[in-house]
Every structure is written in C-alpha cells, then in structure tokens.
Amino acid sequence: MLHPGNIIRSKRSTMALLINEQGELIVKAPLKLSNAQIFDFVREKHEWIVRQQQKVLQNSRLNHSVMSYNSFLFLGVQHAPVITDDVKKVTRYDNRLLIPSKFAEAGEITVLKKIEKWMRDMAKQIVSERCSYFGQRLRLEYRGVTVNNNKSRWGVCDDKGNIALNWRAVMLPPHLLDYIVVHEFCHLLEFNHTPQFWAIVETILPNWKVIRRELKLYNYLLTLFRPLPKP
C-alpha cells in the first residue's frame, strides 16, 4: 500500500496522509519517526485510505475525456470540440468549443495551443472580474491581479498585495473559482495559514471546508497542458 519512496520527512510534529491524482498514498512524517511507526499508522488508517483512493480513481475515470483532451472544462461544464468552417477563432457556443478548420488541418498540437490561448484569455477576463467584485464587497485593496502557470497552486498572494490565479481555475465550477479568489483576498489580512486566517475565510464562506475538499477533486486539472501530448 505504501512505497518507501512516498514517505516525505520534514521538521513537522505530526503525520499527514495524502492521496495524489494517481491514487497513490503519500505520507508526510516527522524526521525522527521510524518506518515501523509510519507503517503502523498507515495500517490504522487503511479504511480511510481505501475510501479516498476510490474517490480519486472514480473521479479520474469520470473525467477521462477531459484528461485525454477529448473534451474541455470551462466553468465546470464539459465542452466538446467541434471543427467548423463557420468561425475564424476558438469560440464557445452552448456546450461546444468551435474550432476553425484551419487549426485542425495544422494538427492536434495547434488545436490544443489555440484552446489554451482561449482559456488563458478568458481566465484573465473572469479572474479580473471576480477580484473586482470581491475587492468591492470585502472593501479590500490589492495591488494587481494576473493569471499564471503555477505547477501546484491554484492561487498566490504576495506580501505586496499582488494576486495571481492559475489560468486553469477558469475550468473550475464558479463557486470553486470564487473560493480561490476569496482565499487569496484573505491573505491580504493574514498572510499565513493561521487559525486567524481560516476564521476570516469562514466569515465569508462558512462552508469553506466542504468547498476545499471539493476543490481537491479537481487538482488533476493542474496537470493539463503541461506538456502537451506529442503529435
């Protein structure tokens, strides 16, 4: 169940169990804890581990079409790509992404690059709008907002008040995208993930724990478009 290579030791006082996007168990453990103690802890949590792995693998199967680029998520809704002569650029229509025929003729990689560019452009617009909304609602000022290509994070906020969201956040359902925005705005008031920070989040999103767990089901999206599949 647990490969020794999946044990990450650090200067922490407690153990933590994580299930990655591939359904593998990752253990974060204190430096001095023995392997025997770690394996005992894992055995005690066997049922929980199996349940979490089943959820991850089920989610992976349900979203296989997205992970294989046969459909694309936009604001939580799957969109099927449709090749057509009726448009000159990538265009969303109902639950479809209309792709100009000239892109398809250039090959799959070209199509994916064009879809990525469209996603990034939409992300800039939507992220800017949501930050403006929450900035006014919460009466908080921020220095600037951008979209980035972070490998493991949905959003970041630096100590100068600059907010950046991963462009892939535009694939998420709106309430999850808003959670990320709220999360980063709360860092304007409390920079670290202290109890005070989460208390602030809770005043805005009382069900943040549920939303946070739901967001984890979409972490596989962070692996998309990096790198693009080979032709």
Side-chain angles (χ1 to χ4, degrees):
M1 179 184 295
L2 175 63
H3 188 279
N6 289 358
I7 299 175
I8 302 174
R9 297 180 183 275
S10 63
K11 294 179 180 179
R12 57 184 297 132
S13 58
T14 60
M15 276 194 290
L17 303 180
L18 302 173
I19 307 297
N20 66 17
E21 289 77 12
Q22 289 72 46
E24 298 174 325
L25 173 64
I26 307 295
V27 177
K28 294 186 177 181
L31 290 171
K32 296 182 180 181
L33 208 63
S34 69
N35 283 346
Q37 290 173 299
I38 293 174
F39 280 93
D40 284 343
F41 182 74
V42 168
R43 279 191 289 269
E44 290 176 6
K45 300 296 182 180
H46 174 75
E47 292 185 4
W48 179 89
I49 292 169
V50 171
R51 287 198 303 271
Q52 297 306 311
Q53 288 176 324
Q54 289 174 342
K55 288 181 182 179
V56 169
L57 294 176
Q58 180 183 22
N59 187 63
S60 177
R61 287 192 294 271
L62 289 174
N63 293 287
H64 176 71
S65 63
V66 174
M67 297 178 72
S68 58
Y69 302 101
N70 289 313
S71 66
F72 301 88
L73 278 182
F74 178 72
L75 294 178
V77 178
Q78 285 196 19
H79 288 66
V82 176
I83 307 301
T84 177
D85 292 323
D86 297 333
V87 297
K88 295 183 178 181
K89 60 182 181 180
V90 176
T91 305
R92 182 169 70 102
Y93 182 77
D94 289 336
N95 292 344
R96 292 173 290 171
L97 279 186
L98 305 182
I99 313 297
S101 298
K102 62 180 181 180
F103 296 162
E105 292 169 1
E108 180 186 9
I109 298 301
T110 296
V111 170
L112 291 177
K113 286 182 177 180
K114 296 296 183 180
I115 291 175
E116 178 181 345
K117 182 182 183 304
W118 177 81
M119 288 272 194
R120 286 176 180 263
D121 290 342
M122 294 303 297
K124 291 176 183 177
Q125 175 184 330
I126 293 172
V127 166
S128 178
E129 290 173 353
R130 299 315 290 164
C131 284
S132 177
Y133 168 78
F134 280 107
Q136 293 177 27
R137 176 182 167 184
L138 304 176
R139 298 181 181 179
L140 291 174
E141 294 185 0
Y142 55 97
R143 185 172 182 179
V145 57
T146 57
V147 296
N148 64 19
N149 194 36
N150 198 292
K151 291 184 178 181
S152 60
R153 294 184 179 183
W154 286 110
V156 294
C157 176
D158 65 23
D159 57 4
K160 296 181 180 179
N162 294 300
I163 294 174
L165 263 64
N166 196 306
W167 68 264
R168 295 166 184 80
V170 79
M171 301 182 191
L172 298 169
H175 69 287
L176 297 184
L177 191 155
D178 279 354
Y179 164 79
I180 298 170
V181 174
V182 169
H183 184 111
E184 301 312 325
F185 263 95
C186 289
H187 278 310
L188 297 173
L189 299 173
E190 176 61 40
F191 194 66
N192 297 308
H193 290 114
T194 62
Q196 291 80 5
F197 169 82
W198 293 112
I200 296 170
V201 173
E202 191 160 352
T203 63
I204 306 164
L205 298 173
N207 62 335
W208 67 269
K209 291 182 180 179
V210 175
I211 298 175
R212 188 185 185 197
R213 286 196 295 270
E214 184 181 355
L215 179 61
K216 289 181 179 180
L217 297 177
Y218 287 88
N219 281 346
Y220 73 93
L221 294 176
L222 293 171
T223 68
L224 294 180
F225 294 92
R226 66 163 112 239
L228 289 172
K230 294 181 180 180

